[in-house]
Amino acid sequence: MSTQSLYKVPGDIAANALINNEQYKKMYQESIVNPDGFWREQGKRIDWIKPYTKIKQTSFDDKDLSINWFYDGTLNASANCLDRHLADGSDKIAIIWEGDDARDQRTLTYGQLHDQVCRFANVLRSQGVCRGDVVTIYMPMVPETAVAMLACARIGAIHSVVFGGFSPDSIASRVNDGQSRVIITADEGVRGGRSIPLKHNVDLALEHPDVQCVEKVIVLKRTGSDIYWVEGRDIWWHSLMELASEHCPPEEMGAEDPLFLLYTSGSTGNPKGVLHTTGGYLVYAAMSHEYVFDYKPGEVYWCTADVGWITGHSYMVYGPFANGATVLMHEGVPNYPSPARLGEMIDRHKVNILYTAPTLVRALMAEGKEHFEEYDGSSLRIMGSVGEPINPEAWRWYHEVIGHEHCPIVDTWWQTETGGILITPLPGATDTKPGSATRPFFGVKPALVDNQGNILEGANEGNLVLLDSWPGQMRTIYGDHDRFVLTYFKTFRGMYFTGDGARRDEDGYYWITGRVDDVINVSGHRLGTAEVESALVAHEKVAEAAVVGYPHDIKGQGIYAYVTLIHDTEPSEELRQELRQWVRKEIGALATPDLIQWASGLPKTRSGKIMRRFLRKIAANEVTNLGDASTLADPAVIDTLIESRLNRS
Ligand code: PRX
């Protein structure tokens, strides 16, 4: 193994870890050579109502696609996350909650969480929610959000969590796609000292003429502020809970019955409703949570992701609760009111495992390490990173300043679609290299292919694909199975295409280089450039728009928009601000363009296709080597764009 920048597994971690390097190699080999045997054993980590006898029935052939795991077994996800832990003592802490204001503290034991979930499951039933119905959850980071999710799982309803930062329009399209009759929300959320008008956003979404399906809105009182109220439609969470029974036997679900929907952006069209099912997902979330974070009973685990993203689903709710973990949940952001907050929270709650995103690390790094002078950090053992490539400088800062050089970092690569972590170090097994997600997790068969789909061997760079199924894999795009097949299985026949590019080094370690499609990753939030473009062109003064990502010091990628205005419209700073606000209103704050360049024309082929590679290079200030422009209808457009490009340094 090349020793350049290699961080060895600390001896004490290797000695006590659930998986050491020898075990990793042996288990990985077994998982690939004998998947049925491997998963037959791993499936036993959760409780089944009717045990499975069938393990894996999968094919990535686009003509005969099938993904089935543990498919004759039955179970209930909420019973696995709650009921089965009660035997060891219902007093075990499930959630430690800290408000945006650190003076707000709550804890919920597994017994209390179970009680709340059962009551809320009965509430949902009382509102007519049945097995198989989609329930939309638009909530802040409070324990009730986990309660709502697990209550859906208890009665076999499919939850669809919409991130609290999304706009009314985004809520409307998701609610409509799932034909949700019930929305669960809160009066307001609180984040970074500001309140977020969640109920107001739901009200606006429901004014949308296309949204006819919603009958009930259940509202949690979080701040108590004045809100608009529709009699007959809106109901308070607390008044329903007071009447509800705490007795609710879990629904017996098939392993392949849907558990949840979660919308994510692709290269084209509207966000896709990624559908995950029950058995395989839960086995995979629980197993990866335990092994990747080397989770030991009693440890305090903190994942800073919002529950509105897949990380919040798999590694704040399902994985940890299936393992009976104690989860720290934070309502706000870990660098508010000051960058010291992260360290204060680790010390205050004696956090053992921290899972966060590179964008936070870079933001803290920019503020300076002096904010961590008082930080003790002695409880911390393992640190994770997720959502985007972590640059080696940020990795080292995280290792030194937060991990005090003794905590292994697990840089975990995965996607909404994958349900769980696929490429990652294991703390006790894998020597790490800053910036590399290292090796595949159990059962995962990654490969690199060229643009024709030929498999590349050895140290190489190419498109990252997966050659075989794993239990946590998404099963379909809700309501559009053809799009599922087309998006993931047609680019390279017989393989799942991730949309990412990657490099494999001489040690077999993977280095994710980023998206190779028209998806960008802004502060770990995934966005389709097409979504931002269609928001821009919906503005009356915009004739055309092209959006690309560009390197951004804190966010990883920023949003760079080229905008052509309609005839006779003068560009102005005011209009630029107006367009930024417009996109924010259409999609949500995370989609606000960082930079808008006025463009009298865009580089197009003769058939009218926008050539984004030129736009990406201009946005990145890489204008010396633009490549062949001869296929453009009007090559002179490029010079004009370069002349007027924005100086972003
Ligand atoms: O480009 C990869 C990047 O995030 C994408 C998936 O985004 P999303 O579905 O929102 O899920 C994020 C949380 C799992 C991937 O296609 N990505 C995620 N983790 C990493 C990463 N890129 C590099 N390194 C990672 N560790």
Side-chain angles (χ1 to χ4, degrees), residues 413 415 417 463-466 488 496-501 515 517:
W413 174 85
Q415 312 179 297
E417 295 89 333
N463 301 297
L464 181 63
V465 295
L466 298 156
Y488 302 103
Y496 168 90
F497 179 39
T498 63
D500 279 321
R515 301 290 303 199
D517 53 8

Side-chain angles (χ1 to χ4, degrees), residues 118-131 133-136 151-152 155 157 179-185 213-219 229-245 248:
C118 288
R119 280 175 197 270
F120 197 68
N122 284 325
V123 164
L124 290 174
R125 281 208 173 118
S126 75
Q127 299 308 308
V129 177
C130 299
R131 181 181 173 129
D133 287 353
V134 176
V135 174
T136 301
C152 287
I155 61 169
Q179 286 294 298
S180 244
R181 284 189 297 115
V182 172
I183 302 185
I184 307 164
T185 188
C213 50
V214 176
E215 290 161 18
K216 298 286 175 195
V217 178
I218 303 176
V219 188
W229 200 256
V230 177
E231 280 309 326
R233 184 195 73 180
D234 300 346
I235 335 158
W236 284 113
W237 171 294
H238 57 267
S239 45
L240 291 167
M241 286 290 263
E242 275 165 21
L243 306 173
S245 150
C248 180

